[in-house]
Amino acid sequence: MDHAQPKLDFIPPTFNPFVLRMVHLSLPMLQRFRVQPWLPAGISPIETVNGETLVDLYHQFQNNKIRLILAFRHCEVDDPLSGLYLFSRAIPKLARQQGISLQSPIHSHFMYDRGMTIWAGNWLGWLFAQIGGIPVHRGKTLDWQAIKKARELLVNGRFPLTVAPEGATNGHSEVVSPLEPGVAQLAFWCVEDLAKAKRVEQVVVVPINIQYRYINPQWSKLDWLLSKLEADCGLAKSIEVASTEKPEQFYYQRLLRLGEYLLTEMEHFYRHFYHRHFPDLPQSLSREENLTVRLQNLLDLSLQVGEEYFGLKQKGNIIERCRRLEEAGWNYIYREELSNLKSLSSLKRGLADLIAAEASLRMLHMRLVESFVAVTGTYIQEKPCFERFAETSLILFDAIARIKGTRNPRRPRLGWRKSRVTIGEPISVNQRAIAYQQNRQGAKQAVAQLTHDLQIALEKMIV
């Protein structure tokens, strides 16, 4: 982003059933073909587990017995395809099988990152608005416009509300990142808003997990991707795998070598150009443990570069620090006080552009950290399956593409995948609201406990 921009306006949801119908009809094509460079697609079939629970919840919702929050795991950009299939195909079919009459369309409002419209295009903001999406300026500490609209739809909306409790994708089907408190806070606000309106509906949160499996793992495609990454790094290809050797061990060694090389290069980069000091590590660490500790040190120091530029304190976990950096960067680029950039003098416009360009570069450090927020040196070692090899390789692909300056890189497709959507046990919020309403400390603990229980529920659904 080389130029200052006016503030990002809120895009109000304007649900249009015709547009939703078109999206539902196009789903088979969206599953099969890549409609954007950053969408791998290639997903079929989509399996639903415990869908009967969601049928019952939708029936209760449509009969004004409950208000419903769907807490979807969102591990990668393809997840909305599974959600669309769940609403447009799976739930209506299961309802018919059970003899339950549900009003059409089966759908949900949803919250999405306002920043998506920046790198994907304004058309995405229009589409999301037409199908009931609520944009969240994720960098803001509290986006009151989004919160107000979410609370309004939670209480009076025609559909339930879908929220991704992790706040961002982590690229791992089998790792749930620490949850943000937004789902729990919205749930308790909904209880309060219903009470003020003298309504008796119960508030329910249902955890929903999405997990992917490759149907026919194609090691040759993984080999191609690793060869590309090795070429980008200037590394010669490793020795060929012997016909009797397990491919897992061969590709594991290649990924380890790539990871260690990238770490060494990035450590040199920050040491030489940003004057950072990396601590010495104990010799007793295994190769995988060494990789994990070095990566965590690198992420920490990378965030420090951005934090020092924006004058931020090092506070909270990696994800919380990323969000504060994003907020600071957006404030430098999308200037609320500059409503009419054309009225600025050439000098002031030049200075505003300079600040925006510098902020954009500083935010790149945070974007690289985001890519690796869930990566460890032991993830593949713990379970050396093709899926984990593929996930880690694609994360490396994204990171190298960012460093190369590639805009919206075309992610490689490593084969057809099947998606497994699991509906968890509903979590009733009303009884928990008693503690929430006692005092500020009680509210804080209630939010933390509900967030913790939701985290455990999502983790238990991983198979």
Side-chain angles (χ1 to χ4, degrees):
M1 186 67 68
D2 297 327
H3 302 285
Q5 306 289 329
K7 68 175 183 178
L8 289 172
D9 292 328
F10 181 75
I11 306 173
T14 53
F15 177 71
N16 185 326
F18 175 76
V19 174
L20 178 65
R21 180 62 178 163
M22 293 300 100
V23 171
H24 284 176
L25 290 174
S26 65
L27 182 59
M29 182 190 71
L30 295 174
Q31 288 177 234
R32 184 175 182 84
F33 299 108
R34 187 196 311 270
V35 293
Q36 286 289 333
W38 36 270
L39 280 177
I43 299 175
S44 182
I46 297 176
E47 174 190 6
T48 304
V49 179
N50 199 27
E52 296 81 5
T53 296
L54 197 55
V55 171
D56 179 61
L57 290 171
Y58 260 90
H59 190 243
Q60 292 184 58
F61 178 88
Q62 292 183 353
N63 283 280
N64 299 319
K65 294 181 179 179
I66 64 172
R67 303 305 295 178
L68 185 59
I69 300 178
L70 308 176
F72 263 91
R73 264 227 70 201
H74 187 18
C75 59
E76 59 172 82
V77 294
D78 285 328
D79 298 336
L81 300 179
S82 297
L84 283 170
Y85 179 88
L86 179 69
F87 298 137
S88 66
R89 269 73 167 179
I91 296 305
K93 181 179 179 180
L94 286 169
R96 289 193 297 270
Q97 291 174 349
Q98 296 178 59
I100 296 176
S101 177
L102 294 180
Q103 303 169 23
S104 295
I106 305 300
H107 186 51
S108 78
H109 293 288
F110 59 96
M111 305 184 78
Y112 67 94
D113 176 17
R114 179 66 172 84
M116 292 179 67
T117 64
I118 298 171
W119 50 264
N122 291 332
W123 68 271
L124 192 67
W126 175 87
L127 176 63
F128 282 175
Q130 295 290 298
I131 59 176
I134 307 167
V136 179
H137 193 149
R138 195 178 62 172
K140 287 186 177 180
T141 305
L142 287 174
D143 186 345
W144 288 114
Q145 278 187 293
I147 290 172
K148 181 180 179 181
K149 178 55 68 173
R151 291 180 68 167
E152 175 189 324
L153 292 176
L154 258 178
V155 174
N156 298 311
R158 177 181 174 184
F159 309 112
L161 177 66
T162 289
V163 184
E166 291 165 281
T169 60
N170 66 16
H172 287 335
S173 268
E174 300 183 19
V175 176
V176 181
S177 295
L179 303 190
E180 297 182 358
V183 169
Q185 185 62 73
L186 283 170
F188 286 121
W189 278 337
C190 186
V191 172
E192 290 185 332
D193 293 342
L194 288 169
K196 289 177 183 177
K198 302 187 184 308
R199 288 167 52 180
V200 297
E201 296 103 311
Q202 299 291 297
V203 178
V204 176
V205 175
V206 56
I208 302 177
N209 184 59
I210 301 177
Q211 192 169 347
Y212 299 94
R213 287 285 183 269
Y214 282 86
I215 298 172
N216 293 306
Q218 299 185 43
W219 294 96
S220 61
K221 290 190 175 182
L222 180 65
D223 178 83
W224 172 86
L225 176 55
L226 291 177
S227 296
K228 174 177 172 51
L229 298 178
E230 288 165 343
D232 285 338
C233 293
L235 294 173
K237 185 176 178 178
S238 300
I239 58 171
E240 296 290 342
V241 59
S243 58
T244 57
E245 188 178 0
K246 290 185 177 181
E248 291 88 344
Q249 184 58 31
F250 171 65
Y251 292 115
Y252 180 61
Q253 294 302 321
R254 289 178 72 180
L255 265 176
L256 269 182
R257 187 177 72 137
L258 264 171
E260 289 171 339
Y261 176 82
L262 272 173
L263 275 175
T264 300
E265 286 296 308
M266 295 305 294
E267 286 168 347
H268 173 75
F269 173 74
Y270 282 104
R271 188 182 292 114
H272 185 73
F273 295 103
Y274 291 94
H275 316 295
R276 302 290 146 177
H277 172 71
F278 289 86
D280 296 327
L281 301 182
Q283 296 295 321
S284 59
L285 295 178
S286 68
R287 191 178 179 186
E288 291 77 13
E289 290 171 338
N290 181 277
L291 197 68
T292 299
V293 175
R294 288 175 65 191
L295 177 59
Q296 292 305 309
N297 289 338
L298 177 64
L299 300 186
D300 175 57
L301 290 175
S302 183
L303 289 178
Q304 287 181 25
V305 170
E307 288 166 337
E308 289 181 9
Y309 173 76
F310 291 112
L312 301 175
K313 293 182 179 180
Q314 299 173 30
K315 181 181 178 182
N317 59 34
I318 292 288
I319 296 174
E320 291 167 342
R321 291 169 68 186
C322 284
R323 293 290 75 77
R324 281 198 299 275
L325 272 169
E326 186 174 46
E327 176 181 6
W330 280 35
N331 287 339
Y332 277 34
I333 297 170
Y334 299 95
R335 305 283 292 276
E336 294 197 14
E337 76 276 17
L338 303 180
S339 58
N340 186 2
L341 291 171
K342 293 182 179 179
S343 66
L344 295 179
S345 68
S346 298
L347 174 65
K348 288 187 176 181
R349 180 58 189 262
L351 291 173
D353 289 345
L354 182 64
I355 288 296
E358 178 73 8
S360 183
L361 286 172
R362 296 288 175 164
M363 288 175 71
L364 179 58
H365 300 281
M366 180 271 292
R367 297 298 180 202
L368 288 171
V369 171
E370 275 189 321
S371 300
F372 289 93
V373 71
V375 174
T376 69
T378 59
Y379 181 62
I380 294 177
Q381 186 185 40
E382 293 165 356
K383 185 180 177 182
C385 60
F386 184 84
E387 285 74 21
R388 295 197 177 196
F389 278 102
E391 289 171 1
T392 305
S393 300
L394 289 170
I395 288 172
L396 290 177
F397 171 85
D398 291 340
I400 291 173
R402 283 187 186 276
I403 294 171
K404 289 162 55 179
T406 306
R407 181 176 173 84
N408 292 342
R410 184 175 291 276
R411 251 192 164 203
R413 183 192 290 182
L414 300 180
W416 280 89
R417 295 175 297 165
K418 60 182 178 181
S419 171
R420 177 187 174 98
V421 183
T422 305
I423 314 301
E425 290 299 317
I427 301 174
S428 178
V429 179
N430 290 68
Q431 286 299 315
R432 296 167 180 261
I434 297 174
Y436 176 86
Q437 294 165 350
Q438 287 180 348
N439 50 50
R440 180 173 297 181
Q441 185 61 28
K444 184 177 180 180
Q445 291 176 352
V447 168
Q449 186 62 52
L450 179 52
T451 303
H452 172 76
D453 292 346
L454 183 57
Q455 174 108 28
I456 297 301
L458 289 169
E459 290 173 347
K460 283 183 176 179
M461 286 187 279
I462 294 174
V463 295

